[in-house]
Amino acid sequence: MKIGFIGLGVMGEPMVRHLHAAGHAVAIWARRPESAAALVAEGMQLRATPAELAARSEVVITVVTASADVEALAFGSGGLAEGFAPGSIHVDMSTIAPATARSLAARYAERGVGWVDAPVSGGGQGARDATLAIMAGTDEETLDRVRPLLEVLGQRIVHIGPPGAGQVAKACNQMILVSILQACAEAMHLAAAHGVDLAAVRQALLGGSAASRVLETMGAKMVARDFSAGVAARLHHKDFAILMDEAARLGVPLPVAGQAWQQLNALMHAGWGNDDTSSLLRVLER
Amino acid sequence: MDVGFIGLGLMGRPMALNLIQAGHRVQVWSRRRASVQPLLDAGAGDCASAAEVARRAPITISMVADAPDVEQVTLGPDGVAEGAGKGHIHIDMSTIAPAAAQSIAARLAVRGVIALDAPVSGGEPGAIAGTLTIMVGGDEAACAQVRPLFEAMGGSITRIGEAGAGQVAKACNQILTGVGVAAVAEGLVFAHKSGVDGAAVREALLGGLAWSRVLENHGRRMLARNFTPGFKAWMHQKDMRIVLDEAHRLGLALPAAAATAQLFNAMAGSGLGEDDSVAMLKLLERMSGCVGE
């Protein structure tokens, strides 16, 4: 399949390599072309604008940071919408607001272009191992067309519902992940205050009802006091702004998520935004 | 081994049965006489008091509700200490405050009894299946000596440290499961209010970094609207109170645990205390004007 790819960060770079290795005709666009040099050397074509990329692609995948980035790539000047032929599909794998995803889907539909919001969970490791969990918001027919691509990138592809639904699932994912991470930090903080061996506590808890992937991976980082990212905390902080906005809009009280959000604010204030979110432990220790 | 068991409730009964099943000779006593019968039917020896249990078995186990109950059956009149011989080991598997466990251990030591705190995680299903997670605090040699008993009741046995350390690990466990239950309930209410299928969301999240045993098990029960205990909300409320009392005593900030404790308070106050902890979902639905099934 002819695939266009935008967003060559920690997540995007291994993802685009998997697609290329799977035999797809991959072209890329990058705001800073020099950042694409290695991939071009590996045989991927570089295009001058998102519009040019869209014009030669059946499907364009984007993995960027914020709602505004995706909007600009899609409908900005020289954006994807200018190049897409009817019947092509934009698969956005960034984490953005559900409302933005719904609005982009509606604008594309007017032009006969398909949309999939397909945010992921699993982090850089999941991207490298192609074991991402992918949450899709689109119609069934569109999902069927891009499913072979998603299967190259992830292990668990779940169709959540119509456009925007994938982003709702991702918001739930971030809420549960960071809330549990905050709980892990608090548990470690309590154990440390008692002078108890943190590694033994983590080990014991992994066998029981308190087991979680967060306790396993980020709990290990807390025990080792290795706060290097991982997933940079500023990204979780950004995601929380999105989901707490949605909560306010919908009138949904999220007391635990709200509390975790404030701790993320404190983490950012401490200057640890580029460190791992397991730094929530350090916020408690200050 | 010869072992005594005190407290035959939802958790204690299947644990004692598993000890019998594994070939240990078990003596029992319980405050509620009716709860003893199933154990006697399975071959346990009947005792008139905790002291008599300790006279007949060099190792005793208690599984009761809270710290005052543990004090009563160990240090109170007709308690374990009165019947205990030289080198007696008492294992308390209840969930109580770490400070209380340390204090009880110290007072038992004065009377020649070695105390272990060995709280569990895994709930009634884990107790029945003999797959409990057991977190042990106390003397290392004593812990090694009673290990065959732990193995009859649990799947994962970890010695955390000295007296009270098992209860510290259990407090950590209750922070993670309590906040986890609230986080999963918030996720499902958020999905529902956004008009999205909660079952599909759970399914997707199980594949990613948000995976947890709580999302898997408690999440399934929330979606099935099965609020039958399991682990009653008022018990989790009690455990969160222990956590926050400790936090207060130690001068610790535990913001997510504190928010969660307030939610458990609201559950107890609004008639959800006898439901399973997963009724947290009902509480949040009421707060948000969602109508459940």
Side-chain angles (χ1 to χ4, degrees):
Chain A
M1 207 183 274
K2 284 187 170 171
I3 302 169
F5 200 101
I6 298 173
L8 304 173
V10 181
M11 300 295 291
E13 190 166 320
M15 289 163 75
V16 75
R17 283 205 167 95
H18 288 312
L19 290 165
H20 184 61
H24 294 289
V26 178
I28 51 186
W29 177 82
R31 194 168 304 158
R32 294 180 303 109
E34 61 273 20
S35 69
L39 298 174
V40 171
E42 289 167 32
M44 291 175 235
Q45 307 169 19
L46 187 63
R47 293 296 154 128
T49 64
E52 281 182 36
L53 185 74
R56 57 72 65 188
S57 302
E58 296 160 76
V59 175
V60 173
I61 297 175
T62 51
V63 190
V64 294
T65 303
S67 299
D69 300 328
V70 181
E71 274 181 327
L73 282 172
F75 287 95
S77 151
L80 295 167
E82 289 178 16
F84 271 137
S88 41
I89 301 171
H90 181 174
V91 179
D92 178 47
M93 304 187 76
S94 325
T95 296
I96 64 172
T100 306
R102 287 184 203 116
S103 135
L104 289 172
R107 291 169 78 186
Y108 274 129
E110 288 169 11
R111 301 164 178 247
V113 174
W115 165 270
V116 182
D117 45 293
V120 302
S121 174
Q125 190 66 44
R128 286 190 291 280
D129 299 343
T131 56
L132 294 168
I134 302 177
M135 299 152 247
T138 184
D139 60 86
E140 226 149 84
E141 193 193 334
T142 308
L143 180 59
D144 283 345
R145 286 179 56 202
V146 300
R147 190 181 285 277
L149 303 179
L150 299 181
E151 282 170 349
V152 172
L153 304 173
Q155 265 179 346
R156 184 184 290 240
I157 296 125
V158 182
H159 186 199
I160 309 291
Q167 295 296 351
V168 172
K170 180 62 191 275
C172 293
N173 188 79
Q174 301 304 73
M175 277 165 61
I176 292 177
L177 189 165
V178 176
S179 298
I180 292 180
L181 182 51
Q182 175 63 25
C184 284
E186 293 184 19
M188 293 293 177
H189 192 43
L190 177 66
H194 278 278
V196 159
D197 180 22
L198 300 187
V201 170
R202 173 179 164 278
Q203 189 60 38
L205 268 50
L206 280 176
S209 323
S212 66
R213 199 148 290 145
V214 169
L215 179 62
E216 196 181 321
T217 57
M218 290 152 126
K221 289 175 80 71
M222 289 182 193
V223 171
R225 301 199 69 77
D226 164 20
F227 296 108
S228 60
V231 181
R234 64 182 170 81
L235 296 174
H236 284 137
H237 183 248
K238 175 213 77 165
D239 295 348
F240 260 67
I242 295 175
L243 75 91
M244 295 312 290
D245 272 0
E246 287 282 308
R249 194 174 65 75
L250 296 165
V252 184
L254 304 176
V256 171
Q259 201 72 57
W261 188 25
Q262 300 313 305
Q263 299 300 113
L264 286 174
N265 285 347
L267 183 158
M268 295 302 288
H269 176 72
W272 295 322
N274 284 319
D275 290 351
D276 194 81
T277 315
S278 51
S279 297
L280 283 169
L281 176 59
R282 287 193 282 175
V283 174
L284 293 172
E285 291 168 347
R286 295 196 99 195
Chain B
M1 298 172 88
D2 284 296
V3 59
F5 208 105
I6 297 158
L8 302 167
L10 217 55
M11 296 293 291
R13 184 182 347 153
M15 291 163 72
L17 283 171
N18 279 330
L19 288 169
I20 295 172
Q21 200 76 40
H24 300 291
R25 293 171 299 278
V26 179
Q27 307 294 324
V28 295
W29 177 77
S30 193
R31 200 164 12 184
R32 285 195 321 111
R33 193 62 204 154
S35 59
V36 176
Q37 197 56 48
L39 275 299
L40 301 184
D41 293 346
D46 191 11
C47 299
S49 66
E52 190 187 342
V53 174
R55 267 190 291 275
R56 291 213 219 155
I59 302 168
T60 46
I61 296 173
S62 54
M63 189 62 176
V64 293
D66 207 349
D69 307 308
V70 180
E71 293 207 12
Q72 182 71 28
V73 301
T74 54
L75 295 155
D78 283 332
V80 166
E82 280 188 12
K86 198 169 152 26
H88 188 95
I89 300 176
H90 181 77
I91 310 163
D92 178 47
M93 303 186 77
S94 325
T95 295
I96 64 172
Q102 281 161 1
S103 148
I104 290 168
R107 282 179 288 158
L108 281 173
V110 171
R111 299 174 68 169
V113 175
I114 303 163
L116 298 176
D117 49 297
V120 303
S121 169
E124 193 190 5
I128 292 169
T131 56
L132 292 167
T133 290
I134 305 177
M135 299 155 255
V136 192
D139 181 67
E140 199 163 2
C143 180
Q145 191 186 331
V146 303
R147 200 172 173 91
L149 301 175
F150 288 147
E151 282 167 355
M153 298 180 283
S156 157
I157 299 128
T158 311
R159 181 178 175 269
I160 309 292
E162 298 307 320
Q167 296 294 354
V168 172
K170 179 64 193 271
C172 293
N173 190 81
Q174 296 311 81
I175 293 174
L176 287 176
T177 54
V179 175
V181 165
V184 169
E186 288 186 12
L188 292 178
V189 171
F190 185 90
H192 178 74
K193 267 256 170 168
S194 304
V196 160
D197 177 27
V201 169
R202 171 179 166 278
E203 183 63 26
L205 269 50
L206 286 176
L209 195 48
W211 174 87
S212 67
R213 200 149 287 149
V214 169
L215 178 62
E216 201 173 313
N217 296 335
H218 295 67
R220 183 194 308 110
R221 301 211 305 273
M222 286 182 200
L223 287 165
R225 306 198 71 78
N226 173 8
F227 302 113
T228 314
F231 188 67
K232 290 179 179 175
W234 71 262
M235 299 201 71
H236 219 141
Q237 185 201 14
K238 178 209 85 173
D239 293 351
M240 294 311 283
R241 180 173 54 72
I242 291 175
V243 166
L244 291 175
D245 280 353
E246 285 289 304
H248 180 86
R249 194 173 66 78
L250 297 163
L252 287 176
L254 304 179
T260 302
Q262 300 310 306
L263 293 173
F264 279 114
N265 286 351
M267 288 180 78
S270 61
L272 296 172
E274 290 291 327
D275 281 359
D276 191 89
S277 291
V278 297
M280 180 69 77
L281 180 70
K282 280 200 215 171
L283 180 78
L284 290 175
E285 285 172 346
R286 286 178 193 169
M287 290 168 75
S288 341
C290 296
V291 183
E293 295 304 310

